[in-house]
PDB file of all heavy atoms in Angstrom:
ATOM      1  N   TYR S 636       5.530  -0.464  -5.676  1.00 98.00           N
ATOM      2  CA  TYR S 636       5.013  -1.731  -5.463  1.00 98.00           C
ATOM      3  C   TYR S 636       3.679  -1.684  -4.729  1.00 98.00           C
ATOM      4  O   TYR S 636       3.363  -0.636  -4.066  1.00 98.00           O
ATOM      5  CB  TYR S 636       5.940  -2.547  -4.574  1.00 98.00           C
ATOM      6  CG  TYR S 636       7.372  -2.574  -5.095  1.00 98.00           C
ATOM      7  CD1 TYR S 636       8.263  -1.595  -4.632  1.00 98.00           C
ATOM      8  CD2 TYR S 636       7.831  -3.543  -5.907  1.00 98.00           C
ATOM      9  CE1 TYR S 636       9.695  -1.574  -5.101  1.00 98.00           C
ATOM     10  CE2 TYR S 636       9.181  -3.578  -6.320  1.00 98.00           C
ATOM     11  CZ  TYR S 636      10.075  -2.615  -5.950  1.00 98.00           C
ATOM     12  OH  TYR S 636      11.361  -2.683  -6.452  1.00 98.00           O
ATOM     13  N   ALA S 637       2.867  -2.710  -4.818  1.00 98.00           N
ATOM     14  CA  ALA S 637       1.694  -2.854  -3.890  1.00 98.00           C
ATOM     15  C   ALA S 637       2.303  -2.980  -2.491  1.00 98.00           C
ATOM     16  O   ALA S 637       3.078  -3.778  -2.302  1.00 98.00           O
ATOM     17  CB  ALA S 637       0.863  -3.907  -4.355  1.00 98.00           C
ATOM     18  N   PRO S 638       1.809  -2.235  -1.458  1.00 98.00           N
ATOM     19  CA  PRO S 638       2.339  -2.278  -0.209  1.00 98.00           C
ATOM     20  C   PRO S 638       2.012  -3.624   0.598  1.00 98.00           C
ATOM     21  O   PRO S 638       2.677  -3.889   1.538  1.00 98.00           O
ATOM     22  CB  PRO S 638       1.849  -1.051   0.507  1.00 98.00           C
ATOM     23  CG  PRO S 638       0.582  -0.688  -0.230  1.00 98.00           C
ATOM     24  CD  PRO S 638       0.751  -1.091  -1.655  1.00 98.00           C
ATOM     25  N   GLY S 639       0.880  -4.154   0.202  1.00 98.00           N
ATOM     26  CA  GLY S 639       0.397  -5.331   1.019  1.00 98.00           C
ATOM     27  C   GLY S 639      -0.018  -4.996   2.430  1.00 98.00           C
ATOM     28  O   GLY S 639      -0.461  -3.882   2.665  1.00 98.00           O
ATOM     29  N   SER S 640       0.226  -5.907   3.301  1.00 97.00           N
ATOM     30  CA  SER S 640      -0.359  -5.785   4.595  1.00 97.00           C
ATOM     31  C   SER S 640       0.168  -4.636   5.456  1.00 97.00           C
ATOM     32  O   SER S 640      -0.495  -4.237   6.440  1.00 97.00           O
ATOM     33  CB  SER S 640      -0.168  -7.073   5.397  1.00 97.00           C
ATOM     34  OG  SER S 640      -0.984  -8.162   4.819  1.00 97.00           O
ATOM     35  N   VAL S 641       1.324  -4.143   5.128  1.00 97.00           N
ATOM     36  CA  VAL S 641       1.886  -3.027   5.960  1.00 97.00           C
ATOM     37  C   VAL S 641       0.981  -1.782   5.741  1.00 97.00           C
ATOM     38  O   VAL S 641       1.134  -0.731   6.491  1.00 97.00           O
ATOM     39  CB  VAL S 641       3.321  -2.614   5.575  1.00 97.00           C
ATOM     40  CG1 VAL S 641       4.265  -3.757   5.869  1.00 97.00           C
ATOM     41  CG2 VAL S 641       3.520  -2.195   4.138  1.00 97.00           C
ATOM     42  N   PHE S 642       0.110  -1.790   4.756  1.00 98.00           N
ATOM     43  CA  PHE S 642      -0.896  -0.692   4.441  1.00 98.00           C
ATOM     44  C   PHE S 642      -2.067  -0.644   5.403  1.00 98.00           C
ATOM     45  O   PHE S 642      -2.739   0.238   5.641  1.00 98.00           O
ATOM     46  CB  PHE S 642      -1.277  -0.762   3.024  1.00 98.00           C
ATOM     47  CG  PHE S 642      -2.299   0.404   2.646  1.00 98.00           C
ATOM     48  CD1 PHE S 642      -1.779   1.600   2.417  1.00 98.00           C
ATOM     49  CD2 PHE S 642      -3.601   0.043   2.534  1.00 98.00           C
ATOM     50  CE1 PHE S 642      -2.666   2.643   2.079  1.00 98.00           C
ATOM     51  CE2 PHE S 642      -4.561   1.046   2.198  1.00 98.00           C
ATOM     52  CZ  PHE S 642      -4.050   2.331   1.920  1.00 98.00           C
ATOM     53  N   LYS S 643      -2.365  -1.852   5.917  1.00 98.00           N
ATOM     54  CA  LYS S 643      -3.590  -2.058   6.669  1.00 98.00           C
ATOM     55  C   LYS S 643      -3.796  -1.095   7.898  1.00 98.00           C
ATOM     56  O   LYS S 643      -4.983  -0.685   8.094  1.00 98.00           O
ATOM     57  CB  LYS S 643      -3.702  -3.478   7.092  1.00 98.00           C
ATOM     58  CG  LYS S 643      -3.957  -4.509   5.955  1.00 98.00           C
ATOM     59  CD  LYS S 643      -3.955  -5.974   6.431  1.00 98.00           C
ATOM     60  CE  LYS S 643      -4.200  -6.850   5.296  1.00 98.00           C
ATOM     61  NZ  LYS S 643      -4.069  -8.319   5.692  1.00 98.00           N
ATOM     62  N   PRO S 644      -2.772  -0.756   8.582  1.00 98.00           N
ATOM     63  CA  PRO S 644      -3.002   0.252   9.714  1.00 98.00           C
ATOM     64  C   PRO S 644      -3.501   1.580   9.249  1.00 98.00           C
ATOM     65  O   PRO S 644      -4.234   2.246  10.006  1.00 98.00           O
ATOM     66  CB  PRO S 644      -1.595   0.417  10.326  1.00 98.00           C
ATOM     67  CG  PRO S 644      -0.906  -0.996  10.108  1.00 98.00           C
ATOM     68  CD  PRO S 644      -1.382  -1.351   8.738  1.00 98.00           C
ATOM     69  N   LEU S 645      -3.279   1.992   8.048  1.00 98.00           N
ATOM     70  CA  LEU S 645      -3.815   3.224   7.518  1.00 98.00           C
ATOM     71  C   LEU S 645      -5.313   3.018   7.200  1.00 98.00           C
ATOM     72  O   LEU S 645      -6.077   3.987   7.471  1.00 98.00           O
ATOM     73  CB  LEU S 645      -3.187   3.621   6.135  1.00 98.00           C
ATOM     74  CG  LEU S 645      -1.735   4.204   6.282  1.00 98.00           C
ATOM     75  CD1 LEU S 645      -1.204   4.533   4.929  1.00 98.00           C
ATOM     76  CD2 LEU S 645      -1.661   5.420   7.185  1.00 98.00           C
ATOM     77  N   VAL S 646      -5.803   1.913   6.846  1.00 98.00           N
ATOM     78  CA  VAL S 646      -7.174   1.562   6.781  1.00 98.00           C
ATOM     79  C   VAL S 646      -7.841   1.714   8.211  1.00 98.00           C
ATOM     80  O   VAL S 646      -8.980   2.239   8.371  1.00 98.00           O
ATOM     81  CB  VAL S 646      -7.506   0.281   6.135  1.00 98.00           C
ATOM     82  CG1 VAL S 646      -8.956  -0.045   6.053  1.00 98.00           C
ATOM     83  CG2 VAL S 646      -6.908   0.229   4.740  1.00 98.00           C
ATOM     84  N   ALA S 647      -7.180   1.210   9.219  1.00 98.00           N
ATOM     85  CA  ALA S 647      -7.677   1.337  10.573  1.00 98.00           C
ATOM     86  C   ALA S 647      -7.818   2.751  11.040  1.00 98.00           C
ATOM     87  O   ALA S 647      -8.727   3.155  11.594  1.00 98.00           O
ATOM     88  CB  ALA S 647      -6.715   0.552  11.568  1.00 98.00           C
ATOM     89  N   VAL S 648      -6.812   3.536  10.656  1.00 98.00           N
ATOM     90  CA  VAL S 648      -6.831   5.016  10.943  1.00 98.00           C
ATOM     91  C   VAL S 648      -8.114   5.521  10.336  1.00 98.00           C
ATOM     92  O   VAL S 648      -8.828   6.372  10.945  1.00 98.00           O
ATOM     93  CB  VAL S 648      -5.680   5.725  10.570  1.00 98.00           C
ATOM     94  CG1 VAL S 648      -5.685   7.248  10.617  1.00 98.00           C
ATOM     95  CG2 VAL S 648      -4.425   5.256  11.428  1.00 98.00           C
TER      96      VAL S 648
END
Side-chain angles (χ1 to χ4, degrees):
Y636 308 92
S640 293
V641 298
F642 180 77
K643 291 174 180 176
L645 287 180
V646 176
V648 169

